[in-house]
Amino acid sequence: MISEVMKARFAKEVAKYPPEQKQSAVMACLGMVQLEQGYISQDSEKEVAAYLGMPPIAVHEVTTFYNMFNQQPVGRYKLNVCTNLPCQLRDGDRALQHLEQRLGIKMGETTADGMFTLQQSECLGACADSPVLLVNDRTMCSFMSNDKLDQMIDGLRAADAVAQPAAEVK
């Protein structure tokens, strides 16, 4: 459920638009939900729709269109590998297969430890840099050979191991 604090944040976003165009805040509101809850459930979509005066299907269309919105819980590191044709022709498919083998999961799955979710991405706009992937919707990684993929996975695991004890010390 969306908290009253979240609804207050929604109001700040909606205030940026003319009253008859408050639906323009849909992406910002969905982003806030995901930031707080980790993903956007169908119930959350319905609440956002009600808040913005939109049909629930219109909000669902936004959620399902963009790779940055998660419709189910994901691991701490979401890896979106570009599998569009130009990237596939430049070893994007090989990179995806290598990650599946290395992580022991298939595309669309999360590792048992909850650390990695592997997803495909339709286009990341960096075809000449393929294979490419996006980590947590923020960090673009280019020219990802198997060695670089292994280094990235090892580096993320090491960073997570260092961060976890610090987070536990409250």
Side-chain angles (χ1 to χ4, degrees):
M1 293 306 200
I2 296 175
S3 68
E4 291 305 314
V5 171
M6 181 68 60
K7 288 180 182 176
R9 289 185 194 142
F10 285 3
K12 288 180 182 179
E13 277 304 311
V14 168
K16 296 176 183 177
Y17 302 96
E20 69 277 3
Q21 293 178 7
K22 66 181 181 179
Q23 308 90 327
S24 298
V26 66
M27 289 184 65
C29 292
L30 289 171
M32 288 181 230
V33 170
Q34 181 164 293
L35 190 62
E36 184 176 277
Q37 298 177 0
Y39 72 105
I40 302 165
S41 68
Q42 288 184 347
D43 288 339
S44 294
E45 287 179 350
K46 289 175 187 172
E47 287 190 58
V48 169
Y51 186 88
L52 297 175
M54 298 173 67
I57 189 64
V59 174
H60 184 68
E61 288 170 344
V62 174
T63 305
T64 58
F65 183 79
Y66 293 100
N67 281 337
M68 65 188 169
F69 294 129
N70 306 317
Q71 298 163 344
Q72 59 191 10
V74 295
R76 286 186 292 284
Y77 299 103
K78 182 172 80 167
L79 309 176
N80 279 8
V81 180
C82 186
T83 58
N84 206 352
L85 182 59
C87 283
Q88 290 225 14
L89 293 172
R90 295 177 52 96
D91 293 329
D93 193 45
R94 178 203 42 79
L96 178 60
Q97 290 173 0
H98 181 78
L99 286 170
E100 285 179 333
Q101 188 173 34
R102 172 75 195 270
L103 298 172
I105 58 174
K106 295 288 183 194
M107 182 185 56
E109 296 178 343
T110 300
T111 55
D113 62 3
M115 185 168 284
F116 296 101
T117 296
L118 189 56
Q119 296 180 336
Q120 71 178 8
S121 183
E122 188 55 33
C123 183
L124 296 175
C127 305
D129 297 349
S130 186
V132 296
L133 63 101
L134 193 60
V135 179
N136 287 346
D137 302 317
R138 300 249 184 257
T139 305
M140 177 78 78
C141 301
S142 301
F143 305 107
M144 297 304 287
S145 65
N146 287 352
D147 287 342
K148 286 177 88 176
L149 290 167
D150 289 340
Q151 290 171 11
M152 178 194 67
I153 295 298
D154 292 341
L156 292 172
R157 285 193 190 282
D160 199 65
V162 169
Q164 290 302 334
E168 293 171 8
V169 172
K170 293 182 178 178

